[in-house]
């Protein structure tokens, strides 16, 4: 095939949407080998489109690192009563617009699990946005000052799953809290949010600088949400090169099941 013909095919392909009528006409005169060739062409195109879509979704997610769940240790992840691991890994919470709160001390694998679930969502063709919460609040404030807040909120609103990492690690001022509230309230019953946090609900009023605002957020999360508790030793400590890859690090005493995230505590 010469270069001129190649260029012509490229130009037509960029414009092409194949109708059923065209397919029917082609099937009427094409030989079996020609039909096989077209099948191969279309299969290649579909595969390329899937790869391009996956790459595009991955870029838009903005994960700090890409982590899967192969080999992930769920030993110290406490699921809610009646909630099975297969349900979590099957991502059934996303089409139901349910939220997940990953609660536990730093280094327990909360972010890894959140990213792993986000990667599974992307593999299913779903949109994901990952944000470190304090950084997101700063970005929202800048967008508001620059007059681009609505554009930013629309972009976040296109996601099927939002991951708010390190939620509450850094307190917000009231303006930042209200901006973050727009995302959480706007996602209620529309899309799922995964929160990773080491802050119990009773202290969210301090984080948000407003008990009433915190209570409104908690009410939405609790209504369609589940709590997963992360216990055990810090994974970073247990794998630390400084400690000889866990040769000298001692495991922490397993924490008791707690009600430290009881939403009623926000009103105490």
């Amino acid at each position: 095939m010469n270069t001129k013909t190649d260029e012509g095919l490229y130009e037509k392909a960029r414009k092409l949407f194949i109708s059923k009528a065209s397919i029917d006409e082609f099937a009427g005169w094409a030989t079996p080998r020609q039909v096989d060739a077209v099948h191969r062409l279309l299969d290649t195109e579909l595969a390329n489109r899937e790869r391009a879509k996956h790459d595009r979704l991955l870029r838009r997610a903005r994960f700090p690192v890409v982590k899967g769940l192969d080999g992930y240790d769920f030993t110290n992840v406490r699921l809610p009563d009646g909630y099975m691991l297969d349900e979590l890994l099957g991502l059934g919470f996303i089409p139901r617009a349910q939220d997940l709160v990953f609660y536990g001390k730093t280094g327990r694998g909360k972010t890894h699990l959140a990213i792993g679930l986000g990667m599974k969502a992307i593999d299913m063709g779903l949109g994901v946005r990952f944000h470190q919460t304090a950084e997101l609040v700063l970005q929202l404030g800048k967008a508001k000052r620059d007059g681009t807040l609505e554009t930013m909120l629309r972009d976040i609103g296109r996601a099927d799953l939002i991951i708010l990492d390190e939620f509450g690690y850094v307190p917000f001022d009231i303006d930042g809290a209200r901006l973050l509230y727009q995302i959480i309230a706007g996602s209620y019953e529309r899309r799922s949010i995964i929160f990773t946090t080491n802050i119990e609900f009773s202290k969210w009023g301090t984080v948000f600088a407003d008990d009433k605002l915190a209570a409104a957020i908690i009410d939405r999360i609790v209504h369609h949400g589940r709590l997963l508790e992360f216990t055990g030793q810090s994974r970073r400590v247990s794998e630390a090169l400084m400690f000889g890859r866990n040769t000298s690090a001692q495991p922490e005493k397993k924490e008791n099941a707690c009600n430290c995230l009881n939403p009623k505590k926000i009103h105490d």
Side-chain angles (χ1 to χ4, degrees):
M1 192 174 291
N2 59 46
T3 303
K4 182 178 295 185
T5 305
D6 277 350
E7 291 298 327
L9 285 177
Y10 294 150
E11 183 178 353
K12 291 176 181 179
R14 284 193 293 268
K15 299 177 180 178
L16 192 58
F17 176 83
I18 303 176
S19 68
K20 183 178 183 299
S22 296
I23 294 295
D24 289 341
E25 181 183 353
F26 168 75
W29 58 259
T31 66
R33 290 190 64 182
Q34 289 172 327
V35 172
D36 288 342
V38 172
H39 269 296
R40 183 175 178 180
L41 171 65
L42 297 180
D43 287 342
T44 300
E45 173 64 15
L46 291 172
N48 287 337
R49 289 187 183 190
E50 284 299 313
R51 283 193 294 270
K53 179 182 178 181
H54 184 276
D55 292 344
R56 184 171 63 253
L57 291 173
L58 187 58
R59 288 194 302 272
R60 289 178 178 174
R62 300 186 184 94
F63 295 126
V65 292
V66 175
K67 292 185 177 183
L69 295 179
D70 290 343
Y72 186 88
D73 185 3
F74 287 90
T75 303
N76 294 314
V77 180
R78 293 183 180 174
L79 302 177
D81 291 342
Y83 190 55
M84 307 303 292
L85 183 59
D86 287 347
E87 295 180 70
L88 174 68
L89 298 180
L91 307 185
F93 64 95
I94 296 179
R96 298 183 180 93
Q98 296 172 345
D99 299 328
L100 299 177
V101 177
F102 293 176
Y103 171 75
K105 294 181 179 178
T106 301
R108 268 61 180 181
K110 303 185 297 296
T111 299
H112 184 166
L113 180 55
I115 291 175
L117 294 175
M119 288 294 299
K120 288 176 71 71
I122 287 175
D123 290 342
M124 295 172 62
L126 301 176
V128 180
R129 297 292 186 275
F130 179 98
H131 293 283
Q132 289 187 332
T133 310
E135 182 179 343
L136 173 61
V137 170
L138 292 176
Q139 292 172 351
L140 290 168
K142 183 177 186 302
K144 182 179 179 180
R145 293 190 298 273
D146 294 345
T148 59
L149 180 61
E150 291 302 319
T151 301
M152 185 175 180
L153 292 176
R154 278 197 303 271
D155 177 70
I156 295 174
R158 293 189 184 100
D160 301 286
L161 171 64
I162 299 171
I163 300 172
L164 296 181
D165 192 41
E166 298 184 349
F167 187 84
Y169 283 31
V170 178
F172 319 125
D173 60 27
I174 189 62
D175 290 336
R178 287 171 178 164
L179 289 170
L180 187 60
Y181 173 77
Q182 288 188 53
I183 292 176
I184 297 172
S187 299
Y188 179 63
E189 297 187 334
R190 293 184 177 89
R191 65 193 62 85
S192 295
I193 301 179
I194 294 178
F195 302 83
T196 76
T197 185
N198 63 357
I199 307 297
E200 59 195 66
F201 277 153
S202 63
K203 295 180 180 177
W204 281 24
T206 302
V207 171
F208 279 91
D210 187 321
D211 284 346
K212 292 182 179 179
L213 188 60
I217 290 173
I218 292 170
D219 284 345
R220 285 166 171 77
I221 296 171
V222 170
H223 186 206
H224 295 305
R226 289 186 172 92
L227 167 67
L228 282 70
E229 293 184 72
F230 290 67
T231 62
Q233 185 181 20
S234 167
R235 296 184 181 211
R236 286 190 283 271
V237 170
S238 66
E239 299 170 1
L241 180 63
M242 184 175 291
F243 295 142
R245 298 187 184 276
N246 202 30
T247 58
S248 61
Q250 297 297 317
E252 295 180 0
K253 183 178 179 182
K254 192 170 184 179
E255 300 173 14
N256 294 324
C258 66
N259 64 354
C260 53
L261 277 165
N262 187 338
K264 293 181 181 179
K265 285 193 174 186
I266 192 66
H267 303 294
D268 292 347

